[in-house]
């Protein structure tokens, strides 16, 4: 079951170099979906904060969390340099319910697919406590259409439906791609970027 479930050290080492997902701008899928994303926003597993900062610039009150200090320090520095009021905190997403805050929307850009099955269930439960009933989660994860190999777990649509069966309603799942900073000639992933699912998941009211 440990297959493709990366450790904290894996992420630490990735940020010591150039993490392939850290593209220095928001993921295109969130730019495309920006009009759908409303209100106070939580960015779970925010890394160095480009998605959070994109939404802060659009006027959202934004909080990003990540369990590593280094990317959070970089995100805070970018917020200062850009004059954006985004908040960033070091925190484990499995305990995000301890934030003591609630949000209209949440984004998950590449976090859901890192968890083992038991941690996935804990994560979804914790998130349900911080997204308001009637709010929405916007999530992009590796898809099972991406051939096996490097990178995180591949996720099927059935797994997404199962993970969000309680407290949530899966509204839509569509095919998308992650943009990475890998040289296309040397990328171990599909041409055009790793195949992904982009999901809109509503927090059930009541
Ligand atoms: C694939 S990266 C994506 C980062 C960012 N969302 C982006 O798009 O650039 C996944 C991120 O999740 C963070 N992460 C992994 N497990 C976590 C956990 N249990 N709690 C909080 N952050 C976690 C990692 O440190 C990493 O920054």
């Amino acid at each position: 079951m440990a297959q493709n479930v990366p450790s904290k050290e894996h992420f630490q080492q990735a940020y010591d170099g150039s993490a392939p997902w850290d593209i220095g701008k928001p993921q295109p899928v969130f730019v495309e979906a920006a009009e759908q994303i409303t209100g106070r926003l939580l960015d779970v597993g925010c890394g160095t904060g480009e998605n959070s900062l994109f939404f802060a610039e659009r006027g959202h009150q934004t909080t990003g969390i990540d369990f590593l200090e280094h990317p959070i320090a970089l995100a805070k520095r970018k917020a200062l340099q850009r004059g954006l009021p985004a908040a960033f905190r070091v925190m484990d997403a499995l305990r995000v319910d301890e934030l003591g805050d609630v949000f209209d929307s949440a984004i998950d850009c590449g976090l859901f697919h890192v968890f083992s099955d038991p941690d996935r269930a804990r994560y979804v439960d914790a998130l349900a406590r911080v997204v308001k009933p009637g709010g929405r989660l916007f999530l992009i994860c590796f898809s099972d259409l991406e051939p096996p190999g490097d990178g995180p777990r591949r996720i099927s649509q059935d797994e997404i439906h199962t993970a969000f069966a309680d407290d949530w309603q899966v509204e839509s799942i569509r095919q998308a791609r992650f943009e990475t900073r890998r040289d296309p000639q040397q990328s171990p992933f599909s041409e055009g970027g790793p195949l992904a699912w982009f999901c809109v998941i509503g927090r059930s009211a009541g």
Side-chain angles (χ1 to χ4, degrees):
M1 187 62 272
Q3 196 190 13
N4 286 12
V5 175
S7 63
K8 199 167 185 176
E9 290 68 37
H10 162 86
F11 289 108
Q12 249 150 0
Q13 281 167 14
Y15 285 114
D16 287 344
S18 7
W21 57 82
D22 194 22
I23 59 173
K25 61 178 185 176
Q27 276 291 332
V29 84
F30 287 107
V31 177
E32 287 158 24
E35 291 294 328
Q36 284 179 270
I37 299 176
T38 55
R40 300 191 68 218
L41 179 68
L42 174 66
D43 181 2
V44 210
C46 65
T48 70
E50 289 296 340
N51 295 312
S52 288
L53 293 166
F54 168 72
F55 285 104
E57 196 160 16
R58 288 177 63 88
H60 293 261
Q61 199 176 328
T62 304
T63 299
I65 67 128
D66 200 285
F67 67 177
L68 293 182
E69 285 178 23
H70 180 52
I72 287 292
L74 294 177
K76 284 181 176 170
R77 194 193 313 161
K78 288 187 212 175
L80 267 179
Q81 284 167 347
R82 299 180 200 177
L84 292 169
F88 291 102
R89 280 186 57 175
V90 177
M91 174 170 239
D92 191 329
L94 300 179
R95 303 173 69 157
V96 71
D97 51 320
E98 294 174 12
L99 254 182
D101 209 349
V102 285
F103 299 86
D104 304 293
S105 302
I107 59 173
D108 172 330
C109 183
L111 177 63
F112 178 77
H113 60 206
V114 313
F115 293 121
S116 64
D117 288 355
D119 281 353
R120 180 185 293 176
R122 287 175 62 196
Y123 169 60
V124 170
D125 277 357
L127 207 49
R129 297 203 188 93
V130 290
V131 176
K132 288 180 191 167
R136 284 202 175 99
L137 167 66
F138 299 82
L139 179 157
I140 181 170
C141 62
F142 262 54
S143 145
D144 55 352
L145 299 180
E146 178 64 26
D150 267 20
R153 297 177 72 177
R154 278 52 168 169
I155 308 285
S156 69
Q157 295 199 36
D158 278 355
E159 283 179 270
I160 295 164
H161 282 285
T162 301
F164 291 97
D166 299 331
D167 302 323
W168 302 89
Q169 173 108 43
V170 178
E171 295 178 8
S172 64
I173 302 179
R174 73 165 174 85
Q175 218 179 99
R177 285 183 193 274
F178 278 101
E179 186 169 325
T180 74
R181 57 191 294 171
R182 291 198 196 257
D183 173 351
Q185 305 303 321
Q186 292 175 7
S187 171
F189 302 122
S190 301
E191 202 179 326
L195 285 162
W197 297 124
F198 182 65
C199 315
V200 181
I201 303 168
R203 172 75 173 82
S204 306

